[in-house]
């Protein structure tokens, strides 16, 4: 049984731990929270948990877990992942793994120096069978002429923004905003299905907090464009579409893929999807466990590297999109300062 430690005690961590337990391959043993009270409250929900920490150094030094699941605010992922790798722990880090390519490069360097330590970005949907069904269908198209993908969901934290507050997910200090959050899913879609775009631009609607609330991204490929509609301040029910010649791959949603059809343009629809697991994190929890349980094999290392390569590409495109819309995070300024210091020395 793989032993799991967690950072962050919000609902997403609970969902991940339920998924992990459902696989029968993981058990939660250690909880870190900024307060022991919250760590205990969270741990009380899972009988396997026996270690509780409110100090991150102690968590990594004394916790008996093998893998940490990091679900803290985005800007903290990098330092926490770094600390985990240095402590010899495998890492599952929530999307987006890093704020910018500068952080990503440092993590890659650290992983190269510690090849027995694995890091996964928790881009849950790419591990699901219906995502793979779309990948296969795209491979089957004779020609790709573009795609329109949408992920627009009113965030429960947007009310706070309207009240003049700055919740983490809408804060540039915590690497928040729409493209850096929901954009991750759609940029993964585009990169896995069509490869790296030649260039990308983002037309953002900015919020008073200094990040984007919604926007339209256009990824330019050789001969076609992919349009991404993103929002955290409205709800959209638009489906996703990928255009072949006469055929269209039709998805009920661009990330939560429940129903996927290949439409031949002549009135025939072929169902490509299978019923989804109830817990959307089950597929990733299963696949990460399988790779970790197979550690030492070439296949496991290859899969980890392939997934990481996608994470690196997604990180690059997100950064390009943000740059084009002049969206700047505190973490970008930190990166620039370090680079300037390195240039001077
Ligand atoms: N894969 C998915 O479907 C999915 C869905 C939602 C979110 N996410 C990702 O999960 C991560 C967490 O998102 P979230 O909305 O749960 O974030 P959040 O509520 O802002 O913070 C998550 C946890 O981090 C800790 N935390 C909060 N503020 C902090 C601060 N200022 N300094 C240090 N720790 C702090 C809190 O745990 P303690 O109080 O216990 O320390 C909190 O429960 C994000 O990266 C997000 O993108 C993924």
């Amino acid at each position: 049984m793989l032993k799991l430690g967690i950072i962050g005690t919000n609902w997403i961590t609970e969902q991940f731990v339920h998924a992990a337990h459902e696989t029968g391959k993981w058990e939660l043993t250690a909880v870190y929270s900024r307060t022991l009270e919250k760590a205990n409250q969270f741990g009380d929900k899972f009988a396997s948990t026996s270690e509780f920490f409110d100090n991150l150094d102690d968590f990594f030094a004394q916790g008996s877990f093998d893998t940490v699941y990091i679900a803290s605010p985005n800007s903290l992922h990098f330092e926490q992942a770094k600390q985990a790798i240095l402590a010899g722990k495998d890492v599952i880090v929530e999307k987006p793994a890093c704020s910018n390519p500068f952080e990503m490069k440092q993590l890659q360097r650290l992983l190269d120096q510690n090849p027995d330590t694995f890091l996964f970005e928790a881009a849950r949907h790419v591990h699901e069978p219906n995502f793979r069904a779309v990948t296969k269908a795209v491979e089957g198209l004779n020609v790709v002429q573009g795609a329109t993908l949408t992920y627009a969901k009113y965030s429960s934290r947007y009310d706070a923004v309207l009240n003049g507050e700055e919740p983490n997910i809408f804060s540039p200090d915590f690497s928040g905003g729409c493209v850096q959050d929901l954009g991750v899913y759609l940029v993964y879609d585009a990169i896995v299905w069509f490869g790296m775009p030649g260039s990308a631009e983002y037309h953002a609607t900015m919020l008073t907090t200094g990040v984007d609330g919604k926007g339209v991204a256009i990824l330019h490929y050789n001969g076609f464009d992919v349009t991404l509609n993103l929002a955290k301040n409205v709800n959209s029910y638009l489906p996703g579409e990928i255009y072949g010649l006469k055929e269209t791959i039709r998805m009920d949603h661009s990330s939560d893929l429940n129903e996927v059809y290949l439409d031949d343009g002549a009135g025939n629809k072929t169902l490509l999807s299978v019923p989804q697991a109830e817990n959307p994190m089950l597929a990733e929890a299963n696949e990460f466990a399988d790779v970790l349980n197979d550690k030492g094999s070439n296949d496991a290392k290859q899969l980890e590297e392939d997934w990481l390569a996608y994470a690196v590409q997604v990180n690059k495109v997100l950064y390009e999109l943000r740059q084009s819309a002049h969206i700047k995070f505190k973490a970008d300024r930190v990166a620039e300062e370090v680079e300037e210091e390195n240039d001077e020395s």
Side-chain angles (χ1 to χ4, degrees):
M1 195 71 95
L2 292 160
K3 289 185 180 161
L4 186 68
I6 54 138
I7 298 178
T9 54
N10 202 5
W11 66 269
I12 192 63
T13 307
E14 202 170 325
Q15 189 173 74
F16 182 78
V17 175
H18 280 301
H21 282 190
E22 195 179 331
T23 66
K25 299 167 188 171
W26 297 95
E27 61 178 3
L28 178 69
T29 59
V31 178
Y32 163 80
S33 169
R34 288 168 301 168
T35 66
L36 267 186
E37 192 191 352
K38 257 204 238 171
N40 278 295
Q41 265 171 17
F42 188 94
D44 280 351
K45 297 173 195 161
F46 301 95
S48 55
T49 319
S50 58
E51 299 171 325
F52 306 95
F53 300 91
D54 61 359
N55 178 300
L56 211 49
D57 293 337
D58 293 346
F59 172 70
F60 282 120
Q62 295 161 23
S64 61
F65 57 94
D66 318 294
T67 306
V68 62
Y69 168 73
I70 300 174
S72 53
N74 297 344
S75 61
L76 306 183
H77 294 177
F78 166 62
E79 284 296 342
Q80 291 171 344
K82 221 166 93 176
Q83 194 172 353
I85 297 167
L86 290 170
K89 307 289 186 189
D90 295 308
V91 183
I92 300 169
V93 57
E94 258 309 332
K95 43 57 63 177
C98 293
S99 295
N100 52 47
F102 175 80
E103 290 184 355
M104 188 57 103
K105 259 186 230 142
Q106 289 190 64
L107 280 194
Q108 283 177 279
R109 215 172 291 144
L110 207 52
L111 288 165
D112 285 345
Q113 290 160 3
N114 297 274
D116 294 336
T117 302
F118 283 11
L119 179 139
F120 309 107
E121 182 172 49
R124 57 178 169 75
H125 72 311
V126 305
H127 298 276
E128 293 184 319
N130 291 345
F131 184 91
R132 298 226 166 94
V134 176
T135 309
K136 204 167 155 215
V138 172
E139 285 164 3
L141 294 175
N142 288 327
V143 56
V144 174
Q145 298 200 85
T148 310
L149 306 170
T150 299
Y151 199 164
K153 189 161 188 275
Y154 190 93
S155 163
S156 58
R157 275 101 183 239
Y158 188 62
D159 289 345
V161 176
L162 293 176
N163 287 332
E165 294 164 38
E166 190 173 301
N168 298 342
I169 196 59
F170 286 107
S171 167
D173 290 354
F174 286 96
S175 305
C178 183
V179 73
Q180 191 74 1
D181 181 14
L182 302 184
V184 176
Y185 296 99
L186 302 192
V187 173
Y188 258 100
D189 286 355
I191 286 177
V192 176
W193 293 337
F194 315 117
M196 255 321 244
S199 62
E201 76 215 30
Y202 186 46
H203 304 267
T205 308
M206 298 297 287
L207 302 176
T208 49
T209 58
V211 297
D212 53 319
K214 70 197 283 283
V216 178
I218 304 175
L219 312 189
H220 300 291
Y221 287 85
N222 189 10
F224 65 91
D225 288 341
V226 172
T227 307
L228 313 181
N229 299 309
L230 295 159
K232 281 184 77 65
N233 56 0
V234 302
N235 287 311
S236 167
Y237 306 93
L238 286 174
E241 293 183 331
I242 298 171
Y243 312 111
L245 190 55
K246 290 179 187 159
E247 317 92 322
T248 304
I249 299 168
R250 300 172 58 176
M251 302 164 266
D252 63 328
H253 190 269
S254 300
S255 120
D256 301 323
L257 298 160
N258 288 302
E259 282 190 359
V260 181
Y261 290 93
L262 180 66
D263 192 318
D264 69 0
N268 303 306
K269 281 196 326 179
T270 311
L271 182 68
L272 305 176
S273 50
V274 294
Q276 288 279 80
E278 204 172 307
N279 187 325
M281 305 180 95
L282 183 64
E284 63 177 353
N286 244 319
E287 293 202 335
F288 297 154
D290 290 345
V291 166
L292 291 173
N293 280 326
D294 195 26
K295 235 185 183 185
S297 80
N298 290 339
D299 285 355
K301 186 68 192 162
Q302 191 60 54
L303 264 181
E304 189 248 359
E305 286 182 357
D306 290 349
W307 291 335
L308 190 62
Y310 280 133
V312 170
Q313 292 185 343
V314 169
N315 174 270
K316 269 193 195 139
V317 172
L318 289 176
Y319 189 64
E320 187 175 344
L321 293 173
R322 279 202 299 114
Q323 295 281 93
S324 75
H326 310 289
I327 302 167
K328 213 159 188 108
F329 295 155
K330 188 176 177 187
D332 301 334
R333 286 198 292 279
V334 172
E336 280 162 11
E337 278 165 20
V338 173
E339 274 180 340
E340 272 169 28
E341 274 171 29
N342 288 346
D343 286 347
E344 282 164 18
S345 61

